[in-house]
Amino acid sequence: MFEIKVQTGETLVAYTCSGEFDLLVAARRSGINIPVGCRGGGCGMCKILVLEGEYEQGVSSKAVLPDIERQQRYSLACKTYPRSNLHIRVTG
């Protein structure tokens, strides 16, 4: 299990997530509210910035998450799988 710290504005909350679930699913199961739309990597509503930690990205639309943003460590919570403890900021 990994600890996921979520920053939304001035609020910081934490939950745990195993590497088998994406951040959005685990957040919802923990009662943490990350904006959600399609849950398939196509709408961008759950966009996050990974401030610290290692993760794996699943397939998502380049229209909502272009390569330059991927290089800057932006991701979509619905397609992000933790590989260590993470600190993320919700941007979507």
Side-chain angles (χ1 to χ4, degrees):
M1 294 298 268
F2 301 110
E3 179 182 53
I4 313 301
K5 294 179 185 174
V6 181
Q7 190 174 340
T8 307
E10 298 297 318
T11 304
L12 181 67
V13 296
Y15 66 97
T16 58
C17 179
S18 73
E20 66 186 84
F21 294 108
D22 63 63
L23 296 182
L24 184 62
V25 166
R28 292 284 185 196
R29 288 181 178 177
S30 298
I32 307 296
N33 186 24
I34 294 177
V36 62
C38 71
R39 297 179 189 240
C43 73
M45 286 188 65
C46 63
K47 190 179 284 189
I48 59 171
L49 173 61
V50 180
L51 301 169
E52 295 177 10
E54 300 301 318
Y55 60 98
E56 184 177 317
Q57 277 184 326
V59 176
S60 60
S61 169
K62 288 193 178 193
V64 297
L65 192 65
D67 288 336
I68 188 73
E69 287 187 351
R70 294 168 198 255
Q71 293 167 1
Q72 296 169 339
R73 296 180 55 93
Y74 284 89
S75 192
L76 301 178
C78 69
K79 294 295 180 180
T80 303
Y81 301 87
R83 297 300 177 243
S84 72
N85 294 338
L86 295 177
H87 183 182
I88 65 173
R89 180 183 310 135
V90 176
T91 64

